[in-house]
Amino acid sequence: MARGRFIALEGGEGSGKSTQAQMLVDSLVARGLDVDLTREPGGTPGAEAIRALLLDPPGEGWGPEAEALLFAAARSDHVARLIRPALESGRWVVCDRFVDSSRAYQGGAGGVGDEAVQALHRIGSGGLRPDLVLLISVDPATVASRLRQRDGASSDAIGGRGEAYHAAVAQTFAAMASADPEGFAIVDGNGTPAQVHERIMAVIAPFLDEAS
Ligand code: TYD
């Protein structure tokens, strides 16, 4: 049986990834494909338990290395129990964030470094890469206004970090995408959800041709 396709959506806070992930899945299902929609951190019971520890940490919070290890542990469970079995049975997987979030947040902004994050990913998840990463890129001013509406004062331990941290996340994402133009597609995330969805469908058209 043909292996399913693995598509990850990445971007900073308020980039509209989750809305786009759902719209993408709906379009793929409408074309008759079997698709799993999942997210990180999370996706399996174990990884969802680690998610709660990461986003609402006990005590004084995690140091950068402990945080990177916890994300890698959550991902390891998610890959072993959900993502690989789905792909091997021919299903498509659409994932709201994957290892490139760890590379951008913990590796770049958190200072753990890309090599260390990639090493953890090799140990935890056999280095699994998506077939395609959709990096949703939105103007900083638009993001700021979306986040004010969405989170108010209640963002989580990572989303609530300062401007410099999130600027470093954005810069690391941009650098990763330009270093791997085959693996990443930068999608303009400005405009209505329908407009962004149309751009995404144009980018994944070659994968759909192969699948039909
Ligand atoms: P989530 O509620 O999914 O945020 P968003 O809606 O912005 O995607 O929370 C995930 C948070 O965890 C988000 O701030 C990004 C962060 N994160 C990392 O720091 N490293 C990772 O590897 C992943 C997957 C997420």
Side-chain angles (χ1 to χ4, degrees), residues 160-207:
R161 287 177 186 161
E163 234 172 81
Y165 184 91
H166 290 290
V169 167
Q171 201 213 323
T172 312
F173 271 133
M176 288 184 316
S178 65
D180 179 10
E182 297 241 307
F184 285 79
I186 300 178
V187 176
D188 177 2
N190 297 289
T192 65
Q195 286 169 328
V196 179
H197 176 62
E198 216 172 286
R199 292 175 197 137
I200 288 179
M201 293 312 288
V203 168
I204 68 154
F207 291 94

Short mmCIF file of all heavy atoms in Angstrom, two decimals, residues 160-207:
data_model
loop_
_atom_site.label_atom_id
_atom_site.label_comp_id
_atom_site.label_asym_id
_atom_site.label_seq_id
_atom_site.Cartn_x
_atom_site.Cartn_y
_atom_site.Cartn_z
N GLY A 160 3.10 33.31 26.03
CA GLY A 160 3.18 34.55 26.79
C GLY A 160 4.60 35.12 26.93
O GLY A 160 4.79 36.12 27.60
N ARG A 161 5.58 34.49 26.30
CA ARG A 161 6.95 35.03 26.39
C ARG A 161 7.07 36.33 25.61
O ARG A 161 6.24 36.64 24.77
CB ARG A 161 7.95 33.99 25.88
CG ARG A 161 8.09 32.87 26.90
CD ARG A 161 8.99 31.75 26.45
NE ARG A 161 8.91 30.69 27.46
CZ ARG A 161 9.26 29.43 27.26
NH1 ARG A 161 9.75 29.06 26.09
NH2 ARG A 161 9.15 28.56 28.23
N GLY A 162 8.16 37.07 25.88
CA GLY A 162 8.27 38.44 25.36
C GLY A 162 8.44 38.54 23.86
O GLY A 162 8.60 37.54 23.15
N GLU A 163 8.43 39.80 23.42
CA GLU A 163 8.53 40.10 21.99
C GLU A 163 9.83 39.58 21.38
O GLU A 163 9.85 39.09 20.25
CB GLU A 163 8.50 41.62 21.82
CG GLU A 163 7.45 42.11 20.87
CD GLU A 163 7.38 43.62 20.94
OE1 GLU A 163 8.23 44.28 20.30
OE2 GLU A 163 6.48 44.14 21.66
N ALA A 164 10.93 39.70 22.13
CA ALA A 164 12.24 39.30 21.58
C ALA A 164 12.25 37.79 21.33
O ALA A 164 12.80 37.31 20.32
CB ALA A 164 13.36 39.67 22.56
N TYR A 165 11.63 37.03 22.24
CA TYR A 165 11.56 35.57 22.08
C TYR A 165 10.81 35.24 20.79
O TYR A 165 11.27 34.46 19.95
CB TYR A 165 10.87 34.95 23.30
CG TYR A 165 10.84 33.43 23.29
CD1 TYR A 165 11.87 32.69 23.88
CD2 TYR A 165 9.79 32.74 22.68
CE1 TYR A 165 11.85 31.30 23.87
CE2 TYR A 165 9.76 31.34 22.66
CZ TYR A 165 10.79 30.63 23.27
OH TYR A 165 10.77 29.25 23.24
N HIS A 166 9.64 35.86 20.60
CA HIS A 166 8.82 35.54 19.42
C HIS A 166 9.46 36.05 18.12
O HIS A 166 9.29 35.43 17.06
CB HIS A 166 7.39 36.02 19.62
CG HIS A 166 6.68 35.21 20.68
ND1 HIS A 166 6.32 33.90 20.48
CD2 HIS A 166 6.34 35.50 21.96
CE1 HIS A 166 5.78 33.42 21.59
NE2 HIS A 166 5.78 34.38 22.51
N ALA A 167 10.22 37.15 18.23
CA ALA A 167 10.95 37.62 17.04
C ALA A 167 12.01 36.59 16.66
O ALA A 167 12.23 36.30 15.47
CB ALA A 167 11.58 38.98 17.31
N ALA A 168 12.67 36.00 17.66
CA ALA A 168 13.68 34.97 17.38
C ALA A 168 13.05 33.71 16.79
O ALA A 168 13.62 33.06 15.91
CB ALA A 168 14.47 34.65 18.66
N VAL A 169 11.84 33.37 17.27
CA VAL A 169 11.11 32.23 16.69
C VAL A 169 10.87 32.49 15.20
O VAL A 169 11.18 31.64 14.35
CB VAL A 169 9.76 32.02 17.41
CG1 VAL A 169 8.86 31.06 16.63
CG2 VAL A 169 9.98 31.51 18.84
N ALA A 170 10.36 33.68 14.88
CA ALA A 170 10.03 34.01 13.48
C ALA A 170 11.29 33.98 12.61
O ALA A 170 11.27 33.45 11.49
CB ALA A 170 9.36 35.38 13.42
N GLN A 171 12.36 34.51 13.15
CA GLN A 171 13.60 34.56 12.38
C GLN A 171 14.15 33.14 12.14
O GLN A 171 14.64 32.84 11.05
CB GLN A 171 14.61 35.39 13.18
CG GLN A 171 15.71 35.95 12.35
CD GLN A 171 16.99 36.02 13.16
OE1 GLN A 171 16.97 36.31 14.37
NE2 GLN A 171 18.11 35.73 12.51
N THR A 172 14.04 32.28 13.15
CA THR A 172 14.54 30.91 12.98
C THR A 172 13.69 30.15 11.96
O THR A 172 14.23 29.43 11.11
CB THR A 172 14.56 30.16 14.33
OG1 THR A 172 15.18 30.99 15.31
CG2 THR A 172 15.35 28.85 14.22
N PHE A 173 12.37 30.32 12.02
CA PHE A 173 11.50 29.68 11.01
C PHE A 173 11.91 30.13 9.60
O PHE A 173 12.04 29.31 8.69
CB PHE A 173 10.03 30.06 11.23
CG PHE A 173 9.27 29.15 12.15
CD1 PHE A 173 8.47 29.67 13.17
CD2 PHE A 173 9.30 27.76 11.98
CE1 PHE A 173 7.73 28.83 14.00
CE2 PHE A 173 8.56 26.92 12.82
CZ PHE A 173 7.78 27.45 13.82
N ALA A 174 12.12 31.44 9.44
CA ALA A 174 12.44 31.97 8.10
C ALA A 174 13.77 31.39 7.61
O ALA A 174 13.91 31.01 6.44
CB ALA A 174 12.48 33.50 8.14
N ALA A 175 14.74 31.29 8.53
CA ALA A 175 16.06 30.77 8.14
C ALA A 175 15.96 29.29 7.75
O ALA A 175 16.58 28.84 6.77
CB ALA A 175 17.05 30.97 9.28
N MET A 176 15.16 28.51 8.51
CA MET A 176 15.02 27.08 8.19
C MET A 176 14.39 26.91 6.82
O MET A 176 14.78 26.04 6.05
CB MET A 176 14.12 26.39 9.23
CG MET A 176 14.78 26.23 10.57
SD MET A 176 13.79 25.33 11.79
CE MET A 176 12.19 25.98 11.59
N ALA A 177 13.37 27.73 6.55
CA ALA A 177 12.67 27.60 5.26
C ALA A 177 13.59 27.98 4.11
O ALA A 177 13.59 27.32 3.07
CB ALA A 177 11.42 28.48 5.25
N SER A 178 14.42 29.01 4.30
CA SER A 178 15.26 29.37 3.16
C SER A 178 16.40 28.38 2.98
O SER A 178 16.90 28.19 1.87
CB SER A 178 15.74 30.83 3.20
OG SER A 178 16.58 31.00 4.28
N ALA A 179 16.77 27.65 4.05
CA ALA A 179 17.82 26.63 3.92
C ALA A 179 17.28 25.34 3.28
O ALA A 179 18.06 24.51 2.83
CB ALA A 179 18.41 26.31 5.30
N ASP A 180 15.98 25.17 3.24
CA ASP A 180 15.40 23.92 2.71
C ASP A 180 14.16 24.23 1.85
O ASP A 180 13.04 23.94 2.23
CB ASP A 180 15.03 23.00 3.88
CG ASP A 180 14.40 21.68 3.42
OD1 ASP A 180 14.42 21.38 2.21
OD2 ASP A 180 13.87 20.95 4.29
N PRO A 181 14.39 24.85 0.69
CA PRO A 181 13.25 25.28 -0.13
C PRO A 181 12.39 24.13 -0.65
O PRO A 181 11.22 24.33 -0.99
CB PRO A 181 13.90 26.06 -1.28
CG PRO A 181 15.36 25.77 -1.23
CD PRO A 181 15.69 25.23 0.13
N GLU A 182 12.95 22.93 -0.71
CA GLU A 182 12.14 21.78 -1.16
C GLU A 182 11.19 21.30 -0.07
O GLU A 182 10.07 20.87 -0.34
CB GLU A 182 13.06 20.60 -1.48
CG GLU A 182 14.02 20.87 -2.59
CD GLU A 182 13.78 19.90 -3.73
OE1 GLU A 182 13.76 18.69 -3.47
OE2 GLU A 182 13.60 20.39 -4.86
N GLY A 183 11.66 21.36 1.18
CA GLY A 183 10.90 20.81 2.29
C GLY A 183 9.86 21.77 2.84
O GLY A 183 8.91 21.33 3.49
N PHE A 184 10.08 23.07 2.59
CA PHE A 184 9.17 24.09 3.13
C PHE A 184 8.49 24.85 2.01
O PHE A 184 9.11 25.15 1.00
CB PHE A 184 9.95 25.14 3.92
CG PHE A 184 10.44 24.70 5.27
CD1 PHE A 184 11.58 23.91 5.39
CD2 PHE A 184 9.79 25.10 6.44
CE1 PHE A 184 12.05 23.52 6.64
CE2 PHE A 184 10.26 24.73 7.69
CZ PHE A 184 11.40 23.93 7.79
N ALA A 185 7.23 25.21 2.23
CA ALA A 185 6.57 26.20 1.37
C ALA A 185 6.14 27.33 2.29
O ALA A 185 5.46 27.09 3.29
CB ALA A 185 5.37 25.58 0.69
N ILE A 186 6.57 28.54 1.97
CA ILE A 186 6.12 29.69 2.77
C ILE A 186 4.79 30.15 2.19
O ILE A 186 4.69 30.43 0.99
CB ILE A 186 7.16 30.82 2.73
CG1 ILE A 186 8.49 30.31 3.30
CG2 ILE A 186 6.66 32.04 3.50
CD1 ILE A 186 9.62 31.31 3.26
N VAL A 187 3.78 30.18 3.05
CA VAL A 187 2.43 30.56 2.60
C VAL A 187 2.09 31.91 3.21
O VAL A 187 2.22 32.10 4.42
CB VAL A 187 1.40 29.50 3.06
CG1 VAL A 187 -0.01 29.94 2.68
CG2 VAL A 187 1.72 28.14 2.47
N ASP A 188 1.67 32.85 2.36
CA ASP A 188 1.24 34.16 2.84
C ASP A 188 -0.04 33.97 3.66
O ASP A 188 -1.07 33.56 3.12
CB ASP A 188 1.01 35.05 1.60
CG ASP A 188 0.48 36.43 1.98
OD1 ASP A 188 0.32 36.71 3.19
OD2 ASP A 188 0.22 37.21 1.05
N GLY A 189 0.05 34.25 4.96
CA GLY A 189 -1.08 34.02 5.86
C GLY A 189 -1.94 35.25 6.06
O GLY A 189 -2.84 35.25 6.90
N ASN A 190 -1.68 36.33 5.31
CA ASN A 190 -2.51 37.53 5.41
C ASN A 190 -3.76 37.35 4.55
O ASN A 190 -3.72 36.69 3.53
CB ASN A 190 -1.73 38.76 4.93
CG ASN A 190 -0.50 39.01 5.79
OD1 ASN A 190 -0.61 39.42 6.94
ND2 ASN A 190 0.68 38.72 5.25
N GLY A 191 -4.85 37.96 4.99
CA GLY A 191 -6.09 37.85 4.22
C GLY A 191 -7.09 36.97 4.94
O GLY A 191 -6.89 36.59 6.09
N THR A 192 -8.17 36.63 4.24
CA THR A 192 -9.22 35.83 4.87
C THR A 192 -8.78 34.37 4.94
O THR A 192 -7.92 33.93 4.17
CB THR A 192 -10.53 35.89 4.05
OG1 THR A 192 -10.27 35.26 2.78
CG2 THR A 192 -11.00 37.31 3.83
N PRO A 193 -9.40 33.59 5.85
CA PRO A 193 -9.08 32.15 5.90
C PRO A 193 -9.26 31.49 4.53
O PRO A 193 -8.44 30.65 4.14
CB PRO A 193 -10.08 31.62 6.93
CG PRO A 193 -10.34 32.78 7.85
CD PRO A 193 -10.30 34.00 6.95
N ALA A 194 -10.29 31.88 3.78
CA ALA A 194 -10.53 31.25 2.47
C ALA A 194 -9.39 31.56 1.49
O ALA A 194 -8.98 30.70 0.71
CB ALA A 194 -11.87 31.72 1.91
N GLN A 195 -8.88 32.79 1.56
CA GLN A 195 -7.78 33.15 0.65
C GLN A 195 -6.52 32.35 0.98
O GLN A 195 -5.83 31.84 0.10
CB GLN A 195 -7.46 34.66 0.77
CG GLN A 195 -8.49 35.54 0.10
CD GLN A 195 -8.30 37.01 0.48
OE1 GLN A 195 -7.86 37.34 1.59
NE2 GLN A 195 -8.65 37.89 -0.45
N VAL A 196 -6.25 32.22 2.29
CA VAL A 196 -5.04 31.48 2.70
C VAL A 196 -5.20 30.00 2.32
O VAL A 196 -4.27 29.36 1.81
CB VAL A 196 -4.78 31.66 4.21
CG1 VAL A 196 -3.55 30.87 4.64
CG2 VAL A 196 -4.62 33.13 4.56
N HIS A 197 -6.41 29.47 2.50
CA HIS A 197 -6.67 28.07 2.16
C HIS A 197 -6.41 27.82 0.67
O HIS A 197 -5.83 26.80 0.28
CB HIS A 197 -8.11 27.71 2.53
CG HIS A 197 -8.50 26.32 2.13
ND1 HIS A 197 -7.87 25.20 2.64
CD2 HIS A 197 -9.44 25.86 1.26
CE1 HIS A 197 -8.42 24.11 2.10
NE2 HIS A 197 -9.36 24.48 1.26
N GLU A 198 -6.84 28.78 -0.15
CA GLU A 198 -6.63 28.62 -1.60
C GLU A 198 -5.13 28.54 -1.92
O GLU A 198 -4.71 27.74 -2.75
CB GLU A 198 -7.24 29.84 -2.29
CG GLU A 198 -7.88 29.53 -3.62
CD GLU A 198 -8.63 30.75 -4.11
OE1 GLU A 198 -9.71 31.06 -3.57
OE2 GLU A 198 -8.10 31.41 -5.03
N ARG A 199 -4.35 29.37 -1.22
CA ARG A 199 -2.89 29.34 -1.45
C ARG A 199 -2.32 27.98 -1.04
O ARG A 199 -1.47 27.42 -1.72
CB ARG A 199 -2.21 30.45 -0.63
CG ARG A 199 -2.55 31.84 -1.11
CD ARG A 199 -1.96 32.94 -0.20
NE ARG A 199 -2.64 34.19 -0.47
CZ ARG A 199 -3.06 35.06 0.47
NH1 ARG A 199 -2.80 34.85 1.76
NH2 ARG A 199 -3.68 36.16 0.12
N ILE A 200 -2.82 27.46 0.06
CA ILE A 200 -2.33 26.15 0.52
C ILE A 200 -2.68 25.06 -0.48
O ILE A 200 -1.85 24.21 -0.82
CB ILE A 200 -2.89 25.84 1.93
CG1 ILE A 200 -2.18 26.73 2.95
CG2 ILE A 200 -2.72 24.35 2.28
CD1 ILE A 200 -2.65 26.57 4.39
N MET A 201 -3.89 25.09 -1.00
CA MET A 201 -4.30 24.05 -1.95
C MET A 201 -3.45 24.13 -3.22
O MET A 201 -3.14 23.10 -3.84
CB MET A 201 -5.80 24.15 -2.28
CG MET A 201 -6.72 23.82 -1.11
SD MET A 201 -6.33 22.29 -0.22
CE MET A 201 -6.84 21.05 -1.41
N ALA A 202 -3.06 25.35 -3.61
CA ALA A 202 -2.21 25.49 -4.80
C ALA A 202 -0.84 24.85 -4.52
O ALA A 202 -0.28 24.16 -5.39
CB ALA A 202 -2.05 26.96 -5.17
N VAL A 203 -0.33 25.04 -3.31
CA VAL A 203 0.99 24.49 -2.97
C VAL A 203 0.97 22.97 -2.93
O VAL A 203 1.93 22.31 -3.33
CB VAL A 203 1.46 25.06 -1.60
CG1 VAL A 203 2.65 24.30 -1.08
CG2 VAL A 203 1.79 26.54 -1.71
N ILE A 204 -0.12 22.38 -2.42
CA ILE A 204 -0.11 20.92 -2.29
C ILE A 204 -0.65 20.20 -3.53
O ILE A 204 -0.69 18.97 -3.56
CB ILE A 204 -0.83 20.42 -1.03
CG1 ILE A 204 -2.32 20.68 -1.11
CG2 ILE A 204 -0.27 20.99 0.26
CD1 ILE A 204 -3.04 19.67 -0.23
N ALA A 205 -1.00 20.96 -4.56
CA ALA A 205 -1.56 20.34 -5.78
C ALA A 205 -0.70 19.19 -6.33
O ALA A 205 -1.24 18.14 -6.69
CB ALA A 205 -1.80 21.41 -6.85
N PRO A 206 0.63 19.34 -6.36
CA PRO A 206 1.44 18.22 -6.90
C PRO A 206 1.26 16.92 -6.11
O PRO A 206 1.25 15.84 -6.68
CB PRO A 206 2.88 18.72 -6.78
CG PRO A 206 2.79 20.21 -6.67
CD PRO A 206 1.46 20.51 -6.05
N PHE A 207 1.09 17.03 -4.79
CA PHE A 207 0.88 15.82 -3.97
C PHE A 207 -0.47 15.19 -4.30
O PHE A 207 -0.61 13.98 -4.30
CB PHE A 207 0.93 16.16 -2.48
CG PHE A 207 2.28 16.56 -2.00
CD1 PHE A 207 2.67 17.88 -1.94
CD2 PHE A 207 3.19 15.59 -1.60
CE1 PHE A 207 3.93 18.24 -1.51
CE2 PHE A 207 4.46 15.93 -1.16
CZ PHE A 207 4.83 17.27 -1.12
#
